[in-house]
């Protein structure tokens, strides 16, 4: 299972804070980018927001690139560019 | 030490914690960020700060570790508030001590520049026209170049 979290404006746009994915459905081991592609197929209503090139992705609370490998049990997060400080 | 918290902080207390019993350091540089009443063409009445609880601490620890690898620092203190804030409320505190001022000034600015680009906080402004998520600013991304740091990107 992979837990996917959304934050900030993206969470509001998708109206979803978290979802759990059965790893078989995304054919792990896979990558963060492949997961993003899968989410667009599984939730076509989210396509516009998930195709935003400025989105950032984290695996297990660390920012990573879309090529980063994804393993069963990982916590994934997608969010807009950060605006703290 | 790093704190992500709802409650306000006392600048005087934080300064004391950096300076007391610290005879080897001759410099203390403290930065405080406040809520402005006007931003990105909106009159702002308040602010909501969201964060990614599992990641904020880790991201800030990694920023402090990077700062300590670049400069010889004494103490480093970061406080970042979350939740609902009003105009002129304190948002963030960064305090750095070092033997001489150059390292403390540079490391403080470095920590703020990195925090602005890599720490998972998001501001939602409450304005007279309704709530509005703050857009990331190119000047904050551009600030990374002075530290030869890569931009935050998934691609």
């Amino acid at each position: 299972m992979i837990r996917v979290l959304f934050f900030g404006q993206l969470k509001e746009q998708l109206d979803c804070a978290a979802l759990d994915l059965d790893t078989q459905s995304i054919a792990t081991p896979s990558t963060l980018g492949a997961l993003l592609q899968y989410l667009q197929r599984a939730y076509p209503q989210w396509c516009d927001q998930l195709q935003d090139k400025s989105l950032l992705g984290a695996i297990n609370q660390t920012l990573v690139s879309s090529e980063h490998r994804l393993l069963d049990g990982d916590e994934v997060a997608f969010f807009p560019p950060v605006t703290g400080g | 030490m790093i704190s992500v918290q709802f409650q306000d902080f006392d600048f005087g207390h934080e300064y004391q914690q950096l300076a007391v019993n610290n005879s080897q350091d001759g410099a203390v540089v403290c930065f405080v960020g406040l809520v402005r009443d006007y931003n990105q063409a909106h009159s702002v009445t308040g602010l909501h700060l969201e964060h990614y609880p599992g990641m904020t601490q880790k991201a800030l620890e990694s920023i402090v570790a990077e700062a300590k690898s670049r400069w010889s620092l004494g103490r480093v203190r970061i406080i970042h508030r979350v939740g609902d804030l009003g105009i002129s409320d304190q948002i963030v505190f960064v305090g750095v001590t070092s033997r001489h001022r150059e390292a403390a000034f540079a490391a403080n600015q470095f920590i703020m520049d990195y925090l602005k680009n890599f720490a998972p906080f998001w501001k939602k402004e409450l304005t007279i026209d309704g709530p509005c998520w703050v857009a990331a600013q190119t000047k904050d991304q551009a600030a990374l170049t002075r530290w030869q740091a890569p931009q935050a990107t998934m691609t």
Side-chain angles (χ1 to χ4, degrees), chain B residues 117-136:
Chain B
N117 282 278
F118 301 115
F121 296 96
W122 300 272
K123 285 186 187 129
K124 188 189 210 177
E125 289 174 341
L126 311 175
T127 79
I128 51 173
D129 304 316
C132 178
W133 287 96
V134 173

Side-chain angles (χ1 to χ4, degrees), chain A residues 1 5 10-11 15 21 24 27-29 31-32 35 42 55 57 67-71 74 78-79 85:
Chain A
M1 185 141 82
L5 308 173
L10 181 65
K11 177 177 73 177
D15 192 23
L21 295 178
Q24 286 172 343
T28 50
T31 63
L32 187 68
L35 172 62
L55 281 190
E67 287 89 46
H68 200 96
R69 301 287 277 182
L70 202 54
L71 299 170
D74 281 349
F78 294 107
F79 42 79

Side-chain angles (χ1 to χ4, degrees), chain B residues 12-131:
Chain B
H13 173 76
E14 297 306 330
Y15 167 73
Q16 282 298 325
Q17 295 299 113
L18 290 166
V20 76
N21 296 327
N22 191 1
S23 55
Q24 73 273 26
D25 285 335
V28 181
V29 172
C30 297
F31 170 82
V32 175
L34 306 174
V35 180
R36 270 195 311 270
D37 67 356
Y38 192 82
N39 191 37
Q40 297 183 357
H42 292 287
S43 287
V44 178
T45 56
L47 198 65
H48 177 77
L49 256 156
E50 180 178 329
H51 74 306
Y52 177 1
M55 183 173 166
T56 36
Q57 187 82 18
K58 201 168 164 178
L60 293 173
E61 279 168 9
S62 143
I63 291 169
V64 171
E66 178 69 23
K68 286 186 166 174
S69 78
R70 293 184 181 219
W71 295 277
S72 177
L73 304 177
R75 300 175 185 174
V76 178
R77 175 75 167 126
I78 301 178
I79 304 172
H80 202 299
R81 293 180 67 197
V82 292
D84 293 318
L85 302 177
I87 298 303
S88 299
D89 278 358
Q90 303 183 118
I91 305 173
V92 61
F93 177 94
V94 174
V96 177
T97 75
S98 62
R99 284 187 166 278
H100 303 286
R101 71 183 184 283
E102 291 82 0
F105 271 124
N108 197 302
Q109 186 163 29
F110 171 90
I111 289 170
M112 275 309 301
D113 286 346
Y114 265 53
L115 186 156
K116 284 267 184 188
N117 282 278
F118 301 115
F121 296 96
W122 300 272
K123 285 186 187 129
K124 188 189 210 177
E125 289 174 341
L126 311 175
T127 79
I128 51 173
D129 304 316

Side-chain angles (χ1 to χ4, degrees), chain A:
Chain A
M1 185 141 82
I2 286 176
R3 188 155 181 79
V4 184
L5 308 173
F6 303 104
F7 290 97
Q9 188 171 20
L10 181 65
K11 177 177 73 177
E12 266 187 14
Q13 288 168 333
L14 306 184
D15 192 23
C16 178
L19 55 91
D20 290 318
L21 295 178
D22 184 345
T23 35
Q24 286 172 343
S25 64
I26 54 166
T28 50
S30 184
T31 63
L32 187 68
L35 172 62
L36 202 53
Q37 297 292 324
Y38 166 79
L39 289 173
Q40 290 172 51
R41 288 194 304 276
Y43 302 90
Q45 70 274 27
W46 292 353
C47 270
D48 284 353
Q49 288 80 19
L50 295 180
Q51 283 172 1
D52 185 341
K53 296 287 180 221
S54 72
L55 281 190
L56 300 179
I59 296 180
N60 300 328
Q61 304 90 41
T62 300
L63 283 174
V64 293
S65 77
S66 59
E67 287 89 46
H68 200 96
R69 301 287 277 182
L70 202 54
L71 299 170
D72 193 14
D74 281 349
E75 177 178 287
V76 174
F78 294 107
F79 42 79
V82 302
T83 55

